[in-house]
Amino acid sequence: MAKISVMGTGSWGTALAILLHNNGHQVMLWSAHPEKAASLNQTREDPKKLPGIKIPDGIVITGDEKTALDSPDIVVFASPSAYMRAISKRLSPLIRRGQIIVNVAKGVEENTLMPVCDIIKEEIPQADVCVLSGPSHAEEVSRGLPTTCVVSARKKETAEYLQGLFMSPVFRVYTTPDMLGVELGGALKNVIALAAGTADGLGYGDNTKAALITRGIAEMARLGVKMGAKLETFAGLSGIGDLIVTCASVHSRNRRAGYLMGQGYTMKQAMDEVQMVVEGVYSAKAAKALAEKYNVEMPIIMEVNKLLFENKPASEAVKDLMQREKQGEISWEL
């Protein structure tokens, strides 16, 4: 049995706390807002984020970071990526040297172009930062529906240790050494999912969705390989796996926001309607900047940015994607 602290009471943090508790571990769930912790302690449910899911009594819920970080075996960072630097800076003085931190947020910081693990490492240099990612909606994990994810760490032994902690009959975990690829897949797929949702909102069909998923993973892989990630990662759980579920699922906040924009909502109106953090909006500018920095062609990413930040009509964005200059899918050998 391990002593595990989950930092963040959003839907994903809460779902993982329940999973780890059901795996037999001693789990503490921390909220950055003491009033939220007090409410969850009283009701043992978050009807807004995970309606109908009871938080087991064995999970200790606290708003005190000193209590949460009192010598845990591992710490799970489950705050949204947009807030991860501030949370990391806040918690850094309480993190001991060599502490294993598992990042489960997905994103790239706009001004630094750093993936989340790098942000955490910069703010908490004494920690051993790892990542867990994959096609895993919190709504389904909290209900015990079969799910697969991938964990990556700098050392194989650490990844295998975490694999053992998270594995259960309903939660299968694989390991990989490619932390950068795992993080890029998790961040970039949210931007592609905005495009897929927009196509749904416009009333387009399965052909369009398949095209966006397929060409989207091609864009993600091109950039990832140029940055030093492994091509195989984008064919795996944190690449095509996460992209499929985020583009297709009714649980996807990114797809939902895109759908609303396809229906004519502005970006802000869509985010207000979803009422949860839409990670793809925060990652879109960073993805565009990375494409420009590494000179990688990413037309879907570029059109999503125009849709989000330049008020380009969704139908015009799709039209421009379809009428781009002719391309080959695979280069002809000379």
Side-chain angles (χ1 to χ4, degrees), residues 81-100:
S81 63
Y83 309 134
M84 193 60 80
R85 185 175 291 279
I87 290 292
S88 298
K89 192 185 296 286
R90 172 176 170 178
L91 300 179
S92 181
L94 301 172
I95 300 292
R96 69 178 189 270
R97 181 163 301 279
Q99 174 68 67
I100 296 175

Side-chain angles (χ1 to χ4, degrees), residues 9 12 19 26 44 65 75 119 148 175 179 229-230 243 248 279 292 297 313 330-331 333:
T9 53
W12 190 213
L19 168 75
Q26 180 183 338
R44 309 303 296 187
E65 54 257 48
V75 178
I119 295 170
T148 55
T175 63
M179 287 185 66
K230 296 181 181 295
L243 182 62
E279 298 277 18
E292 292 168 345
E297 189 177 24
I330 300 174
S331 298
E333 294 183 3

Side-chain angles (χ1 to χ4, degrees), residues 131-189:
V131 61
L132 176 79
S133 192
S136 50
H137 285 304
E139 294 84 353
E140 297 186 4
V141 171
S142 66
R143 293 166 52 204
L145 300 184
T147 300
T148 55
C149 277
V150 61
V151 67
S152 185
R154 285 172 174 80
K155 294 181 179 179
K156 181 181 179 183
E157 299 78 24
T158 306
E160 291 177 343
Y161 168 63
L162 294 172
Q163 180 184 39
L165 294 183
F166 282 92
M167 280 275 283
S168 83
V170 294
F171 197 83
R172 182 169 178 81
V173 182
Y174 292 82
T175 63
T176 176
D178 187 14
M179 287 185 66
L180 176 61
V182 169
E183 286 216 88
L184 287 175
L188 297 174
K189 58 90 183 177

Side-chain angles (χ1 to χ4, degrees), residues 27 148 183 186 225 228 234 237 269 291 322:
V27 179
T148 55
E183 286 216 88
V225 170
F234 296 93
L237 290 164
Q269 288 171 334
M322 292 297 292

Side-chain angles (χ1 to χ4, degrees), residues 261 266-267 284-285 288 292 301-314 316-317 320:
M261 286 187 285
T266 66
M267 179 262 285
K285 284 185 179 179
K288 178 176 180 289
E292 292 168 345
I301 295 291
M302 296 302 178
E303 290 298 332
V304 169
N305 272 274
K306 292 175 184 177
L307 176 68
L308 290 173
F309 307 115
E310 299 176 21
N311 295 318
K312 183 172 184 176
E316 287 297 312
D320 287 348

